[in-house]
Amino acid sequence: MQYQYTAEQQEFRDSLRRFVSDHYDYERHRQRLAKGEHFDAGLWQQWAELGVLGLALDEEYGGLGSGLDDMMAVAEELGRGLVPEPVVPVVAAARLLASIASPAQAEALLPSLVGGELRLSLAWEESASRGNPLVVQTRVKDGALYGKKCAVLGAGEAQQWLVSARNEQGELLLLLLAAQPAGLRRYVMADGRAAGDIQFDGVPVDDSAVLCRGDAAERALRQSVSESLLLMAAESLGCIDSLLSVSGEYLVTRKQFGMPLAAFQALQHRFADMFIAGEKLRSLLWAAFQQQGREGFHRAAAQLKVQLAESGRYVGQQAVQLHGGIGMTDELNVGAYFKRLTLMELMAGQRDDHLAGLALAS
Amino acid sequence: MTEDRSLEAFRDEVRAFIRESATEEIREAGRKTTSVFAPFKQAMAWQRILADKGWVAPSWPQEYGGTGWSLEQRYVFAQECNRAQMPPILPQNLQMVGPAILGFGSDAQKEELLPRMLSGEDFWCQGYSEPGAGSDLAALKCRADRDGDDYILNGSKIWTTYAQHANKMFALVRTSSEGKPQQGITFLLLDMGLPGMEVRPILGLDGAPEQCEVFFSDVRVPCANRVGEENEGWTVAKYVLEFERGGSTMGAWLVPAVERLREQCEQVDELGQRRLDDPVLARRLEALEIEALAVEHTEKRVNAGLKHGQNPGPMASLLKILGTEVMQRFSELQLEVTGLRSLVYDPGALEIGAAPSDFSEDELLAMPYYMNTRAASIYAGSNEVQRSLLAKAVMAG
């Protein structure tokens, strides 16, 4: 039973933490976003050189052949650094691609993903999907694609999109398409990351775009989305751990009514509850990790997403509250973590959506 | 019965007035309000219209421009303005500095300042909080030292909402460090832009500069601008808090807001589905409506008590906690209902007169409103401070 990172993973994580704190300190982060710089090609290249982009890919394609736990360690540090580049979505999409591509496609695409030259976005979420990747309204009809994908992280930076759709027989397809500006509505999200909605109004699709279909496509997509939920939870733990550390320090140093805030029992208890909320999420993250490859994996991932919503909201809101007015400003990182947690709560299915799905399935 | 009928007639009169007098721009600003502080220009335009009608300061004494309405009428007025989504009047003039002048101002101050407060010719900002003194106002340090007929101000103020728009400020400053901390505080009025004064806007979580920091470096303010006696500013500030007794109308905002959220959930989306058909969401809306009604009826119950000469006492703390926390829960459910469509950050589209965006107003508003509303449990005496006051008062019996 694995409940923590190995010594080796811990070491890797520490080195990433140094990289992130060197390149993503909060002041620089703020200035970048104020200037509308959501993606830095130079930093992206450095992520590639660190091996992060190929972490989850086989060594024969230049990757490191690591597991989901290594990616969780990375995601924690990305959350801690509020990194706006779409590292996790690209790595997760690459992992999905590797699981469904033919040897020829793998050889053609994966090395350039590892090297950072090719960026891939997985577009699965739709307004009606509510966390269930098998609810797909996007359709292939007479060789053309119709439908709308929402909240696609890194959609504007990607050269290729992996898109889920159904054909006229209702069969699930996973398509690989060249990214195209037409139909892409790019936007900046409330936490400063870039995303996009993609509208397909009859984009031509030929058979060569179909990487996978039917049951195999359903299995691969569900696997990928559940893995992404684990990575989101790890990323949110990075945010939560940072909020606990910033808030703890603030409570000890900030004085009101002649004493440090930490002397007020109501606030001590609040802080303890925030810590508990974080530990619940950490426990369920490892619990879900242990279910990998087993039947209970998707259920555990959905349970984890529910906990992410609860823990993220509680810790985020309370961290702002404990800081008072200063927590409401853009100048302190507290609000930035709160925003990132809020977005993760809303994406890939909300608390009630996953609870409904869990209740239906059991 | 007669009373109810006249109240309904009054409601009709308010509705008709709003319908006839609110411009499209003011309405747009009301819909695009993501905070308790509406867009400045349009909120002031609406204030002007209400002032011309004589309806701008319902809680003021009639001789100074009040309406003479009963508490029930005041509640109806607030309900109708909120139902029509009018921008809320900024509270600084009429609910903060106005009562201070009414209670403690000199005749000259009343004569000069009150009419300009009502019309909005002056806009006042509040200089209370400081970086080291938020809810604990007694800890404030901004100093005013006597120099002949002037005070010399040094220090800074923070969380001065809309200071960048203000031409006047009312401030609590320290004039003595002797005795209890509350005893050395003085209530001062000053012009914005005096030599030695600097305003720095602060960006909030929603990206908007609603708050400001204000710095004073040897700023000279005549002693004649003092309200009340020197070192007795605390008494003036406390009076202001009590002035609005029964003035809490959060429920008058919440109930129609929940109605609007329900309407949003009744709309049929592109797939022919209604959010309201989701039984979990439908239950949560019902629960939220009950909470909003609890706020409304607690406010009305406190008002009814006032008519019989009761003092709101700890109920003021209760109303602050209850109202703000239900408002926050409303903002949470609104955000969940809007879901993925609330992720986009597009502050330009929220500007008044902006060209229509790809996203609807509801979609653009949910996230900034949710973010901004986190402040409700912090401002005006944090809810932790209010809970302590409430517990102390009620436990003592």
Side-chain angles (χ1 to χ4, degrees), chain B residues 326-346:
Chain B
V326 176
M327 195 167 133
Q328 290 180 333
R329 278 196 283 281
F330 167 79
S331 76
E332 288 166 3
L333 192 57
Q334 185 181 50
L335 185 67
E336 289 176 56
V337 164
T338 316
L340 289 175
R341 291 165 299 137
S342 62
L343 300 178
V344 60
Y345 171 70
D346 191 1

Side-chain angles (χ1 to χ4, degrees), chain A residues 53-206:
Chain A
L53 303 180
L55 195 61
L57 298 178
D58 284 349
E59 289 168 49
E60 58 173 310
Y61 304 116
L64 299 177
S66 306
L68 193 57
D69 44 350
D70 293 80
M71 282 170 56
M72 280 156 43
V74 171
E76 277 197 37
E77 298 314 314
L78 293 164
R80 192 182 303 273
L82 295 166
V83 172
E85 278 79 16
V87 177
V88 164
V90 170
V91 172
R95 198 169 150 97
L96 170 59
L97 177 70
S99 75
I100 55 174
S102 70
Q105 287 166 327
E107 218 160 287
L109 298 168
L110 297 183
S112 52
L113 271 161
V114 174
E117 300 92 41
L118 171 62
R119 288 180 296 273
L120 193 62
S121 260
L122 169 62
W124 69 271
E125 200 159 8
E126 299 181 2
S127 64
S129 56
R130 306 202 165 273
N132 183 350
L134 302 186
V135 174
V136 179
Q137 307 287 335
T138 303
R139 282 277 186 275
V140 175
K141 240 189 295 181
D142 303 327
L145 188 60
Y146 302 86
K148 187 179 178 188
K149 298 292 180 180
C150 304
V152 185
L153 287 169
E157 282 77 36
Q159 289 82 28
Q160 303 265 350
W161 292 333
L162 255 176
V163 180
S164 58
R166 290 193 182 274
N167 62 17
E168 280 162 285
Q169 292 74 46
E171 194 182 30
L172 188 74
L173 311 173
L174 289 174
L175 310 166
L176 185 66
L177 305 172
Q180 42 220 303
L184 173 65
R185 168 65 167 90
R186 275 195 77 165
Y187 49 84
V188 177
M189 300 197 297
D191 69 351
R193 285 185 291 171
D197 291 351
I198 309 173
Q199 178 81 47
F200 298 104
D201 283 326
V203 172
V205 186
D206 61 35

Side-chain angles (χ1 to χ4, degrees), chain B residues 80-380:
Chain B
E80 291 309 318
C81 287
N82 290 326
R83 197 163 278 147
Q85 281 189 280
M86 302 315 297
I89 298 301
L90 301 167
Q92 289 94 322
N93 279 22
L94 304 172
Q95 289 169 38
M96 293 173 175
V97 68
I101 304 288
L102 285 167
F104 292 86
S106 65
D107 288 342
Q109 286 169 338
K110 285 182 188 167
E111 196 179 325
E112 185 199 340
L113 300 173
L114 294 178
R116 299 163 63 96
M117 263 172 218
L118 291 168
S119 67
E121 196 175 346
D122 286 337
F123 177 69
W124 293 80
C125 64
Q126 181 193 49
Y128 276 15
S129 293
E130 294 180 13
S135 286
D136 176 15
L137 279 179
L140 55 85
K141 288 198 172 63
C142 184
R143 259 180 34 231
D145 299 316
R146 274 299 271 273
D147 180 46
D149 288 338
D150 293 335
Y151 288 109
I152 311 286
L153 259 61
N154 279 288
S156 69
K157 291 289 172 186
I158 197 165
W159 317 132
T160 49
T161 311
Y162 282 176
Q164 73 271 44
H165 300 301
N167 64 326
K168 301 268 189 189
M169 174 189 255
F170 58 102
L172 291 176
V173 292
R174 182 155 298 287
T175 35
S176 165
S177 47
E178 296 185 3
K180 280 172 63 177
Q182 289 88 335
Q183 283 165 352
I185 292 172
T186 296
F187 195 106
L188 271 190
L189 309 176
L190 52 136
D191 291 328
M192 296 299 284
L194 290 172
M197 213 169 157
E198 192 199 331
V199 176
R200 185 183 73 93
I202 301 172
L203 287 185
L205 293 186
D206 55 1
E210 188 172 291
Q211 303 298 324
C212 294
E213 201 167 0
V214 182
F215 301 92
F216 304 95
S217 163
D218 290 329
V219 173
R220 194 167 275 276
V221 179
C223 293
N225 286 21
R226 194 180 64 219
V227 178
E229 297 301 313
E230 187 169 285
N231 297 332
E232 287 182 8
W234 194 253
T235 315
V236 181
K238 270 202 334 211
Y239 173 81
V240 170
L241 289 177
E242 282 163 22
F243 181 87
E244 280 284 317
R245 286 192 301 177
S248 179
T249 53
M250 207 91 84
W253 186 86
L254 277 164
V255 172
V258 175
E259 278 168 21
R260 276 197 298 277
L261 186 58
R262 186 186 296 276
E263 282 162 22
Q264 198 182 323
C265 295
E266 280 170 355
Q267 282 163 22
V268 178
D269 68 16
E270 59 222 47
L271 302 171
Q273 291 165 339
R274 298 182 338 148
R275 289 284 280 141
L276 204 61
D277 294 333
D278 172 350
V280 175
L281 180 65
R283 286 178 63 143
R284 293 187 62 199
L285 263 173
E286 293 298 337
L288 185 67
E289 185 179 323
I290 294 167
E291 298 208 64
L293 288 171
V295 175
E296 178 178 320
H297 290 287
T298 309
E299 285 172 339
K300 287 182 168 172
R301 190 159 62 87
V302 171
N303 287 350
L306 287 174
K307 248 188 1 195
H308 297 101
Q310 293 166 12
N311 194 304
M315 291 303 274
S317 289
L318 182 150
L319 287 175
K320 157 78 203 309
I321 299 167
L322 186 63
T324 53
E325 293 184 1
V326 176
M327 195 167 133
Q328 290 180 333
R329 278 196 283 281
F330 167 79
S331 76
E332 288 166 3
L333 192 57
Q334 185 181 50
L335 185 67
E336 289 176 56
V337 164
T338 316
L340 289 175
R341 291 165 299 137
S342 62
L343 300 178
V344 60
Y345 171 70
D346 191 1
L350 285 178
E351 278 171 26
I352 313 310
S357 147
D358 295 355
F359 296 86
S360 73
E361 282 174 7
D362 284 341
E363 292 166 358
L364 292 166
L365 279 163
M367 184 69 76
Y369 183 74
Y370 172 74
M371 291 292 157
N372 203 296
T373 304
R374 308 315 313 157
S377 47
I378 295 168
Y379 60 59

Side-chain angles (χ1 to χ4, degrees), chain A residues 14-346:
Chain A
D14 290 344
S15 70
L16 277 181
R17 188 172 303 184
R18 279 192 298 277
F19 174 76
V20 167
S21 67
D22 285 350
H23 294 87
Y24 293 91
D25 76 276
Y26 183 64
E27 200 40 46
R28 191 191 301 189
H29 171 84
R30 235 183 108 204
Q31 284 168 10
R32 269 185 68 184
L33 296 189
K35 282 186 273 182
E37 295 167 5
H38 315 283
F39 182 84
D40 182 315
L43 283 169
W44 188 259
Q45 215 41 54
Q46 293 192 53
W47 282 107
E49 282 158 26
L50 286 168
V52 166
L53 303 180
L55 195 61
L57 298 178
D58 284 349
E59 289 168 49
E60 58 173 310
Y61 304 116
L64 299 177
S66 306
L68 193 57
D69 44 350
D70 293 80
M71 282 170 56
M72 280 156 43
V74 171
E76 277 197 37
E77 298 314 314
L78 293 164
R80 192 182 303 273
L82 295 166
V83 172
E85 278 79 16
V87 177
V88 164
V90 170
V91 172
R95 198 169 150 97
L96 170 59
L97 177 70
S99 75
I100 55 174
S102 70
Q105 287 166 327
E107 218 160 287
L109 298 168
L110 297 183
S112 52
L113 271 161
V114 174
E117 300 92 41
L118 171 62
R119 288 180 296 273
L120 193 62
S121 260
L122 169 62
W124 69 271
E125 200 159 8
E126 299 181 2
S127 64
S129 56
R130 306 202 165 273
N132 183 350
L134 302 186
V135 174
V136 179
Q137 307 287 335
T138 303
R139 282 277 186 275
V140 175
K141 240 189 295 181
D142 303 327
L145 188 60
Y146 302 86
K148 187 179 178 188
K149 298 292 180 180
C150 304
V152 185
L153 287 169
E157 282 77 36
Q159 289 82 28
Q160 303 265 350
W161 292 333
L162 255 176
V163 180
S164 58
R166 290 193 182 274
N167 62 17
E168 280 162 285
Q169 292 74 46
E171 194 182 30
L172 188 74
L173 311 173
L174 289 174
L175 310 166
L176 185 66
L177 305 172
Q180 42 220 303
L184 173 65
R185 168 65 167 90
R186 275 195 77 165
Y187 49 84
V188 177
M189 300 197 297
D191 69 351
R193 285 185 291 171
D197 291 351
I198 309 173
Q199 178 81 47
F200 298 104
D201 283 326
V203 172
V205 186
D206 61 35
D207 279 351
S208 69
V210 181
L211 293 183
C212 189
R213 63 173 69 233
D215 292 346
E218 293 199 355
R219 270 196 307 278
L221 181 61
R222 282 193 80 192
Q223 176 68 22
S224 177
V225 170
S226 289
E227 284 183 3
S228 293
L229 294 183
L230 269 67
L231 297 177
M232 273 173 99
E235 187 184 322
S236 63
L237 268 177
C239 297
I240 285 173
D241 285 344
S242 303
L243 284 176
L244 282 165
S245 116
V246 178
S247 305
E249 200 187 316
Y250 189 73
L251 288 173
V252 171
T253 50
R254 162 79 173 181
K255 284 191 171 170
Q256 282 274 267
F257 302 100
M259 42 189 164
L261 290 176
F264 293 93
Q265 199 177 42
L267 304 188
Q268 290 168 7
H269 290 186
R270 185 94 51 85
F271 187 77
D273 285 339
M274 291 163 67
F275 184 79
I276 292 168
E279 293 308 303
K280 279 161 80 177
L281 182 61
R282 199 184 317 277
S283 302
L284 288 179
L285 171 60
W286 286 107
F289 175 74
Q290 289 164 15
Q291 291 295 319
Q292 260 196 115
R294 298 171 198 234
E295 214 179 309
F297 182 57
H298 301 308
R299 187 170 172 84
Q303 290 168 331
L304 179 64
K305 184 61 169 57
V306 172
Q307 189 62 49
L308 185 167
E310 299 206 341
S311 295
R313 180 185 285 190
Y314 183 72
V315 176
Q317 290 185 349
Q318 294 308 325
V320 171
Q321 179 72 20
L322 289 177
H323 278 83
I326 193 76
M328 287 298 300
T329 70
D330 177 60
E331 288 164 35
L332 194 72
N333 56 9
V334 167
Y337 286 117
F338 168 55
K339 287 195 249 186
R340 187 122 166 181
L341 287 168
T342 302
L343 264 68
M344 283 193 277
E345 179 189 330
L346 295 172

